[in-house]
Amino acid sequence: MPKAMPTLIKRYIDAYNAGDVDGMLACLSQDIRFTNITGGKVTAEASGSADFRTMAETALRSFSRRHQEITNVITVDAVTLAEISYSATPAQDLPNGWKAGTGVSLSGASLFEVKNGLIARLTDQS
């Protein structure tokens, strides 16, 4: 991970990679706004920590392995933009066409907005 990575975001990524939903939620505000955009289309959204928990737990069951690596980061005030290299192996066939057991890798970016010491908005785009 780049040295300029804010500690809060590093903790979130570490929890994500460990499959630790509680650890991820500890980094998020109660009113977290999460959006995932793939190929220019919104593919997942969550509003609030309960909604995010449901989404994260579903994602954990859908993948036998998943990993995010931050390759570059820019932080200005309360906003961090991170370039991410993502790899995963679906545990089941997914609606987007990914097949169970087939490795997937892609690159993208995540925007983290921090308010009151917690991540209040997270947008993933690939």
Side-chain angles (χ1 to χ4, degrees):
M1 251 178 233
K3 292 183 184 216
M5 174 65 60
T7 302
L8 175 66
I9 295 169
K10 181 181 181 331
R11 279 191 1 243
Y12 174 84
I13 296 294
D14 288 346
Y16 176 96
N17 287 337
D20 178 5
V21 174
D22 288 333
M24 292 165 62
L25 287 167
C27 299
L28 305 177
S29 67
Q30 291 293 316
D31 61 348
I32 181 68
R33 297 277 304 142
F34 172 81
T35 307
N36 188 83
I37 302 167
T38 303
K41 296 180 182 177
V42 174
T43 57
E45 291 183 286
S47 295
S49 58
D51 199 19
F52 186 92
R53 175 184 289 282
T54 299
M55 182 194 62
E57 289 173 346
T58 299
L60 276 177
R61 290 189 299 274
S62 298
F63 292 91
S64 59
R65 182 192 64 79
R66 62 186 195 157
H67 181 81
Q68 289 188 28
E69 182 178 340
I70 305 296
T71 57
N72 194 20
V73 65
I74 298 170
T75 299
V76 177
D77 296 325
V79 176
T80 295
L81 182 61
E83 288 181 278
I84 294 181
S85 175
Y86 175 81
S87 61
T89 304
Q92 58 196 12
D93 289 352
L94 299 176
N96 66 359
W98 293 355
K99 299 294 182 191
T102 303
V104 175
S105 58
L106 51 96
S107 60
S110 292
L111 182 140
F112 298 87
E113 184 178 347
V114 175
K115 289 184 182 173
N116 300 317
L118 295 170
I119 300 166
R121 181 169 58 119
L122 171 54
T123 303
D124 290 339
Q125 188 165 356
S126 59

